[in-house]
Amino acid sequence: MIELRDLAFSYPDSDFGLSITGLEIAAGTTTAFIGPSGSGKTTLLNLIAGILEPDTGSVRTNGTLVTELSDRARRAFRVTEIGLVFQEFELLEYLTVLDNILLPYRINPVLKLQPEIVERAKTLAARVGITDKLRRRPRQLSQGERQRVAVCRAVITDPPLLLTDEPTGNLDPLNRETVLDILFDYVRDAGTTLVSVTHDHGILERFEAVVDFRSFHEIGPDSGSELDPAR
Ligand code: ADP
Ligand code: MG
Protein backbone atom coordinates (compact mmCIF):
# COMPACT_ATOMS: atom_id res chain seq x y z
CA MET A 1 0.00 0.00 0.00
CA ILE A 2 2.71 2.48 1.04
CA GLU A 3 6.36 1.77 0.26
CA LEU A 4 9.15 4.27 0.83
CA ARG A 5 12.70 3.60 -0.40
CA ASP A 6 15.84 5.64 0.35
CA LEU A 7 13.77 8.74 0.81
CA ALA A 8 15.42 12.09 1.45
CA PHE A 9 13.59 15.37 1.71
CA SER A 10 14.50 18.88 2.81
CA TYR A 11 12.72 22.21 2.57
CA PRO A 12 14.67 24.71 0.43
CA ASP A 13 14.77 27.44 3.05
CA SER A 14 15.17 25.37 6.21
CA ASP A 15 17.75 23.04 7.73
CA PHE A 16 15.13 20.39 8.45
CA GLY A 17 15.80 17.09 6.71
CA LEU A 18 13.90 13.81 6.67
CA SER A 19 15.69 10.64 5.67
CA ILE A 20 14.00 7.23 5.61
CA THR A 21 15.78 4.13 4.31
CA GLY A 22 12.67 2.04 4.10
CA LEU A 23 9.10 2.03 5.37
CA GLU A 24 6.20 -0.21 4.40
CA ILE A 25 2.60 0.03 5.45
CA ALA A 26 0.30 -2.82 4.43
CA ALA A 27 -3.08 -2.30 2.79
CA GLY A 28 -6.04 -2.25 5.12
CA THR A 29 -3.98 -1.60 8.25
CA THR A 30 -4.06 1.25 10.75
CA THR A 31 -0.80 3.05 11.56
CA ALA A 32 -0.02 5.91 13.92
CA PHE A 33 2.83 8.36 13.25
CA ILE A 34 4.20 9.66 16.53
CA GLY A 35 7.19 11.81 17.43
CA PRO A 36 8.09 15.23 18.76
CA SER A 37 6.71 18.38 17.19
CA GLY A 38 8.85 19.29 14.19
CA SER A 39 10.06 15.72 13.56
CA GLY A 40 8.49 15.62 10.10
CA LYS A 41 5.18 13.77 10.58
CA THR A 42 3.10 16.21 8.54
CA THR A 43 5.90 16.41 5.96
CA LEU A 44 5.79 12.64 5.48
CA LEU A 45 2.00 12.64 5.07
CA ASN A 46 2.49 15.23 2.33
CA LEU A 47 5.18 13.10 0.66
CA ILE A 48 2.92 10.00 0.75
CA ALA A 49 0.06 12.05 -0.74
CA GLY A 50 2.29 13.47 -3.47
CA ILE A 51 1.78 17.03 -2.24
CA LEU A 52 5.55 17.30 -1.66
CA GLU A 53 8.25 15.71 -3.79
CA PRO A 54 11.33 14.07 -2.24
CA ASP A 55 14.87 15.13 -3.24
CA THR A 56 15.78 11.48 -3.81
CA GLY A 57 14.17 8.09 -3.34
CA SER A 58 10.79 6.67 -4.20
CA VAL A 59 7.29 6.75 -2.81
CA ARG A 60 4.85 4.06 -3.90
CA THR A 61 1.30 4.64 -2.69
CA ASN A 62 -1.63 2.35 -3.57
CA GLY A 63 0.63 0.61 -6.12
CA THR A 64 1.43 3.87 -7.94
CA LEU A 65 4.99 5.17 -8.05
CA VAL A 66 3.99 8.69 -6.99
CA THR A 67 7.51 10.03 -7.49
CA GLU A 68 7.33 9.26 -11.25
CA LEU A 69 4.04 11.02 -11.97
CA SER A 70 3.72 14.37 -13.72
CA ASP A 71 2.25 17.20 -11.65
CA ARG A 72 -1.13 16.79 -13.29
CA ALA A 73 -1.19 12.99 -12.87
CA ARG A 74 -0.12 13.37 -9.26
CA ARG A 75 -2.99 15.73 -8.55
CA ALA A 76 -5.49 13.34 -10.17
CA PHE A 77 -4.00 10.49 -8.16
CA ARG A 78 -4.35 12.42 -4.92
CA VAL A 79 -7.93 13.48 -5.60
CA THR A 80 -9.16 9.99 -6.43
CA GLU A 81 -7.09 7.78 -4.14
CA ILE A 82 -6.36 9.73 -0.97
CA GLY A 83 -8.55 11.20 1.72
CA LEU A 84 -6.96 13.90 3.85
CA VAL A 85 -8.07 15.27 7.20
CA PHE A 86 -6.02 18.30 8.21
CA GLN A 87 -5.45 19.35 11.77
CA GLU A 88 -7.24 22.66 11.25
CA PHE A 89 -10.11 20.97 9.33
CA GLU A 90 -9.90 23.61 6.57
CA LEU A 91 -13.63 23.81 5.99
CA LEU A 92 -14.88 26.63 3.78
CA GLU A 93 -17.01 29.15 5.68
CA TYR A 94 -18.99 30.32 2.65
CA LEU A 95 -20.24 26.79 1.91
CA THR A 96 -22.86 24.76 3.75
CA VAL A 97 -21.89 21.59 5.55
CA LEU A 98 -23.26 19.51 2.65
CA ASP A 99 -21.25 21.49 0.10
CA ASN A 100 -18.14 21.19 2.25
CA ILE A 101 -18.53 17.41 2.21
CA LEU A 102 -18.99 17.52 -1.57
CA LEU A 103 -16.06 19.92 -2.08
CA PRO A 104 -13.72 17.41 -3.80
CA TYR A 105 -16.37 17.06 -6.53
CA ARG A 106 -16.81 20.81 -6.85
CA ILE A 107 -13.17 21.68 -7.34
CA ASN A 108 -11.67 18.72 -9.21
CA PRO A 109 -12.64 18.19 -12.84
CA VAL A 110 -11.57 14.53 -12.64
CA LEU A 111 -14.47 13.87 -10.27
CA LYS A 112 -18.06 13.99 -11.55
CA LEU A 113 -20.77 15.06 -9.12
CA GLN A 114 -23.60 12.57 -9.74
CA PRO A 115 -26.84 12.36 -7.74
CA GLU A 116 -25.60 9.20 -6.01
CA ILE A 117 -22.62 11.15 -4.65
CA VAL A 118 -24.99 13.59 -2.94
CA GLU A 119 -26.81 10.57 -1.50
CA ARG A 120 -23.50 9.16 -0.29
CA ALA A 121 -22.70 12.50 1.39
CA LYS A 122 -26.04 12.38 3.22
CA THR A 123 -25.48 8.76 4.25
CA LEU A 124 -22.03 9.61 5.62
CA ALA A 125 -23.44 12.62 7.45
CA ALA A 126 -26.16 10.44 8.99
CA ARG A 127 -23.56 7.94 10.07
CA VAL A 128 -21.60 10.57 11.98
CA GLY A 129 -24.75 12.18 13.41
CA ILE A 130 -24.84 15.54 11.59
CA THR A 131 -27.88 15.07 9.34
CA ASP A 132 -29.67 18.02 10.94
CA LYS A 133 -26.62 20.27 10.31
CA LEU A 134 -26.27 19.85 6.55
CA ARG A 135 -27.62 23.34 5.70
CA ARG A 136 -25.51 25.13 8.31
CA ARG A 137 -22.18 26.87 7.88
CA PRO A 138 -19.10 25.49 9.61
CA ARG A 139 -19.00 28.34 12.18
CA GLN A 140 -22.44 27.24 13.39
CA LEU A 141 -21.01 23.89 14.45
CA SER A 142 -19.03 22.73 17.46
CA GLN A 143 -15.40 21.65 17.08
CA GLY A 144 -16.39 18.00 17.23
CA GLU A 145 -19.06 18.48 14.56
CA ARG A 146 -16.59 20.33 12.31
CA GLN A 147 -14.17 17.45 12.64
CA ARG A 148 -16.93 15.03 11.58
CA VAL A 149 -17.57 17.15 8.48
CA ALA A 150 -13.84 17.01 7.69
CA VAL A 151 -13.90 13.21 8.00
CA CYS A 152 -16.96 12.94 5.71
CA ARG A 153 -15.24 15.16 3.13
CA ALA A 154 -12.07 13.06 3.28
CA VAL A 155 -13.92 9.80 2.59
CA ILE A 156 -16.58 11.04 0.14
CA THR A 157 -14.52 9.65 -2.80
CA ASP A 158 -14.18 6.26 -1.03
CA PRO A 159 -10.37 6.51 -1.12
CA PRO A 160 -8.29 3.39 -0.45
CA LEU A 161 -6.00 5.48 1.76
CA LEU A 162 -6.98 7.92 4.49
CA LEU A 163 -4.34 10.27 5.94
CA THR A 164 -5.27 12.22 9.05
CA ASP A 165 -3.13 14.81 10.80
CA GLU A 166 -3.78 14.95 14.55
CA PRO A 167 -7.51 14.38 13.98
CA THR A 168 -8.29 14.68 17.68
CA GLY A 169 -5.85 17.48 18.50
CA ASN A 170 -8.52 20.13 19.10
CA LEU A 171 -11.18 17.96 20.69
CA ASP A 172 -12.29 17.41 24.27
CA PRO A 173 -12.03 13.81 25.56
CA LEU A 174 -15.64 12.87 24.76
CA ASN A 175 -15.50 14.18 21.19
CA ARG A 176 -12.06 12.65 20.79
CA GLU A 177 -13.46 9.17 21.44
CA THR A 178 -16.48 9.80 19.20
CA VAL A 179 -14.37 10.94 16.26
CA LEU A 180 -11.98 8.02 16.71
CA ASP A 181 -14.90 5.56 16.82
CA ILE A 182 -16.23 7.11 13.60
CA LEU A 183 -12.81 6.90 11.90
CA PHE A 184 -12.07 3.34 12.96
CA ASP A 185 -15.59 2.04 12.24
CA TYR A 186 -15.38 3.60 8.79
CA VAL A 187 -11.96 2.22 7.84
CA ARG A 188 -12.88 -1.25 9.14
CA ASP A 189 -16.11 -1.37 7.11
CA ALA A 190 -14.63 0.14 3.95
CA GLY A 191 -11.27 -1.69 4.15
CA THR A 192 -9.46 1.65 4.02
CA THR A 193 -5.81 1.96 5.00
CA LEU A 194 -5.45 4.55 7.77
CA VAL A 195 -2.32 6.53 8.60
CA SER A 196 -2.79 9.03 11.37
CA VAL A 197 -0.42 11.52 12.96
CA THR A 198 -1.07 11.82 16.66
CA HIS A 199 0.67 13.12 19.73
CA ASP A 200 -1.99 11.53 21.88
CA HIS A 201 -0.39 8.42 23.38
CA GLY A 202 -3.69 7.51 25.02
CA ILE A 203 -5.08 6.35 21.66
CA LEU A 204 -2.14 4.28 20.38
CA GLU A 205 -3.66 0.94 21.36
CA ARG A 206 -6.30 1.52 18.68
CA PHE A 207 -3.64 1.23 15.95
CA GLU A 208 -2.10 -1.96 14.59
CA ALA A 209 1.30 -0.31 14.08
CA VAL A 210 3.15 2.72 15.41
CA VAL A 211 5.96 4.53 13.58
CA ASP A 212 8.08 6.65 15.91
CA PHE A 213 9.77 9.51 14.06
CA ARG A 214 12.62 9.61 16.54
CA SER A 215 13.97 6.56 14.66
CA PHE A 216 14.41 8.67 11.49
CA HIS A 217 16.81 11.04 13.18
CA GLU A 218 19.36 8.54 14.44
CA ILE A 219 22.91 8.79 13.17
CA GLY A 220 24.42 5.85 11.34
CA PRO A 221 23.89 3.51 8.38
CA ASP A 222 20.89 1.80 9.95
CA SER A 223 18.91 4.97 10.45
CA GLY A 224 15.76 3.53 8.96
CA SER A 225 12.26 2.92 10.10
CA GLU A 226 10.96 0.87 12.92
CA LEU A 227 7.48 -0.44 12.55
CA ASP A 228 6.75 -1.26 16.15
CA PRO A 229 3.66 -3.26 16.93
CA ALA A 230 1.26 -1.29 19.06
CA ARG A 231 0.98 -2.42 22.61
P1 ADP B 1 5.56 17.71 12.62
O1 ADP B 1 4.32 17.51 11.82
O2 ADP B 1 6.22 16.42 13.04
O3 ADP B 1 5.37 18.63 13.78
P2 ADP B 1 6.49 19.06 10.21
O4 ADP B 1 6.56 17.99 9.20
O5 ADP B 1 5.34 19.98 10.15
O6 ADP B 1 6.65 18.42 11.67
O7 ADP B 1 7.77 19.97 10.12
C1 ADP B 1 9.09 19.45 10.18
C2 ADP B 1 10.08 20.59 10.12
O8 ADP B 1 10.04 21.21 8.85
C3 ADP B 1 9.85 21.68 11.15
O9 ADP B 1 11.11 22.09 11.61
C4 ADP B 1 9.18 22.78 10.36
O10 ADP B 1 9.50 24.04 10.89
C5 ADP B 1 9.78 22.60 8.99
N1 ADP B 1 8.84 23.00 7.93
C6 ADP B 1 7.56 22.60 7.80
N2 ADP B 1 7.00 23.14 6.70
C7 ADP B 1 7.94 23.91 6.13
C8 ADP B 1 8.00 24.74 4.96
N3 ADP B 1 6.95 24.86 4.15
N4 ADP B 1 9.15 25.40 4.70
C9 ADP B 1 10.23 25.27 5.49
N5 ADP B 1 10.26 24.51 6.61
C10 ADP B 1 9.13 23.84 6.93
MG1 MG C 1 2.38 18.30 12.05
Side-chain angles (χ1 to χ4, degrees), residues 36-58:
S37 180
S39 58
K41 305 179 297 296
T42 298
T43 301
L44 186 56
L45 286 191
N46 286 324
L47 286 163
I48 291 169
I51 294 168
L52 292 173
E53 281 187 90
D55 304 326
T56 57
S58 66

Side-chain angles (χ1 to χ4, degrees), residues 94-110:
Y94 59 89
L95 293 178
T96 63
V97 165
L98 180 61
D99 284 333
N100 267 285
I101 296 173
L102 293 170
L103 190 67
Y105 289 84
R106 300 207 178 282
I107 59 176
N108 297 299
V110 291

Side-chain angles (χ1 to χ4, degrees), residues 34-227:
I34 61 166
S37 180
S39 58
K41 305 179 297 296
T42 298
T43 301
L44 186 56
L45 286 191
N46 286 324
L47 286 163
I48 291 169
I51 294 168
L52 292 173
E53 281 187 90
D55 304 326
T56 57
S58 66
V59 178
R60 188 184 291 278
T61 304
N62 305 351
T64 298
L65 207 47
V66 183
T67 32
E68 304 249 297
L69 297 177
S70 66
D71 284 354
R72 175 202 282 239
R74 215 169 50 232
R75 206 171 312 119
F77 162 82
R78 183 164 73 240
V79 164
T80 51
E81 306 226 9
I82 293 176
L84 282 161
V85 182
F86 303 98
Q87 186 174 6
E88 303 300 331
F89 310 163
E90 310 206 4
L91 302 178
L92 298 182
E93 220 28 84
Y94 59 89
L95 293 178
T96 63
V97 165
L98 180 61
D99 284 333
N100 267 285
I101 296 173
L102 293 170
L103 190 67
Y105 289 84
R106 300 207 178 282
I107 59 176
N108 297 299
V110 291
L111 298 175
K112 298 278 167 271
L113 182 56
Q114 315 276 14
E116 58 265 29
I117 302 298
V118 180
E119 284 315 303
R120 174 170 164 79
K122 290 177 180 169
T123 305
L124 287 167
R127 201 158 154 185
V128 304
I130 53 169
T131 296
D132 56 336
K133 314 273 180 353
L134 284 173
R135 308 255 150 248
R136 291 199 194 175
R137 308 285 156 159
R139 70 172 163 278
Q140 299 167 309
L141 303 180
S142 70
Q143 283 284 94
E145 289 164 347
R146 278 201 284 275
Q147 184 60 307
R148 294 178 214 189
V149 178
V151 170
C152 291
R153 185 181 58 188
V155 300
I156 185 71
T157 60
D158 191 20
L161 175 61
L162 182 59
L163 304 174
T164 68
D165 201 348
E166 306 201 9
T168 59
N170 294 316
L171 302 179
D172 59 76
L174 186 63
N175 268 304
R176 183 185 81 167
E177 294 305 318
T178 308
V179 163
L180 286 169
D181 288 345
I182 288 167
L183 264 181
F184 279 84
D185 283 353
Y186 178 84
V187 300
R188 192 196 54 231
D189 291 353
T192 310
T193 308
L194 172 68
V195 176
S196 186
V197 171
T198 183
H199 58 233
D200 188 347
H201 286 235
I203 68 170
L204 290 185
E205 68 268 18
R206 287 180 180 253
F207 293 88
E208 290 159 315
V210 175
V211 176
D212 188 339
F213 276 57
R214 281 172 301 188
S215 65
F216 300 141
H217 296 272
E218 287 160 5
I219 298 154
D222 290 337
S223 62
S225 69
E226 296 296 331
L227 204 58

